Amino acid sequence: MSNDVVVLDYGFGNIRSAHRALERAGAQVEVTADLERAAACDGLVVPGVGAFAACMAGIDQIGARELIAERVRAERPVLGICVGAQIMFAGGTEHGQHSTGIGVVPGEVTELHAPIRPHMGWNTVAAHPDSVLHRGLDADTRFYFVHSYAATATDPQVRVSTCEYGERFIASFEYAGLCATQFHPEKSGDAGAELLANWMRLL
């Protein structure tokens, strides 16, 4: 198993926590905006916090949109976290503004239909039976969420695991070389560490 992991630094992401969590899972981690390193590493992590549009602006500012898309098309491991997962979809709408995503996965990110937003705290995930990320994790395993927006539909070829909060939404998904989580594995304790270890076995 290779363990050369780059956490992409584009100005939006819980980078310090992700760095520590990946190191605990056994990765050799570098945080950088260097696209050559991001292209060459065994595994690329795209974190994200805040707004969809702002994260895409950060991605475009360092010129990483095509690099991420090319890694996914080549089935080379990429892990998207929170808004870093959302921007993999075709687009997102926040406060009436639609933004184009990286577009490697069909589907749109929209506001959760829930009585209280954000969805913040621990929740279980109904894992896809063929999920690599959730392999070995019990059905009652809880992960930590903080979000008001999520994707609710995607291509049937994508392995989708779901969560329920007001409505059923995509909690994690796997497609080609891409794995992604709406929740924060780096804030999810032992469960998050096990999920990150599962991802690293793909490297």
Side-chain angles (χ1 to χ4, degrees):
M1 180 181 73
S2 300
N3 60 5
D4 172 30
V5 173
V6 163
V7 177
L8 189 64
D9 184 5
Y10 63 100
F12 294 87
N14 196 27
I15 289 174
R16 190 172 301 171
S17 293
H19 186 178
R20 287 197 301 265
L22 287 158
E23 282 190 332
R24 284 197 300 271
Q28 296 176 351
V29 187
E30 180 180 358
V31 176
T32 183
D34 185 323
L35 298 188
E36 289 187 5
R37 279 291 295 123
C41 64
D42 298 315
L44 177 64
V45 178
V46 182
V49 296
F52 188 108
C55 284
M56 279 309 304
I59 290 288
D60 287 337
Q61 186 170 7
I62 67 168
R65 182 191 292 246
E66 183 55 31
L67 179 146
I68 295 168
E70 180 54 37
R71 280 193 68 111
V72 174
R73 286 195 293 265
E75 300 191 12
R76 298 186 60 223
V78 175
L79 175 65
I81 297 175
C82 197
V83 185
Q86 294 180 3
I87 61 176
M88 301 299 174
F89 289 92
T93 301
E94 296 184 7
H95 308 297
Q97 175 189 358
H98 183 268
S99 303
T100 301
I102 294 171
V104 289
V105 182
E108 292 284 326
V109 174
T110 56
E111 191 170 30
L112 281 173
H113 295 101
I116 298 174
R117 290 184 299 267
H119 171 210
M120 182 166 62
W122 298 83
N123 211 332
T124 56
V125 171
H128 189 284
D130 297 324
S131 171
V132 173
L133 286 177
H134 295 272
R135 185 172 294 161
L137 291 164
D138 294 335
D140 60 353
T141 299
R142 293 180 176 270
F143 297 92
Y144 189 77
F145 291 83
V146 183
H147 65 116
S148 296
Y149 297 82
T152 54
T154 188
D155 190 289
Q157 294 183 8
V158 182
R159 295 191 300 275
V160 169
S161 300
T162 61
C163 181
E164 188 84 33
Y165 182 77
E167 62 179 324
R168 189 161 292 278
F169 65 88
I170 296 174
S172 66
F173 64 91
E174 300 158 38
Y175 175 72
L178 174 63
C179 295
T181 65
Q182 178 61 67
F183 54 84
H184 287 273
E186 78 281 8
K187 296 181 179 180
S188 296
D190 291 345
E194 190 168 346
L195 183 138
L196 290 174
N198 282 341
W199 176 69
M200 286 176 54
R201 292 186 184 98
L202 300 172
L203 308 188

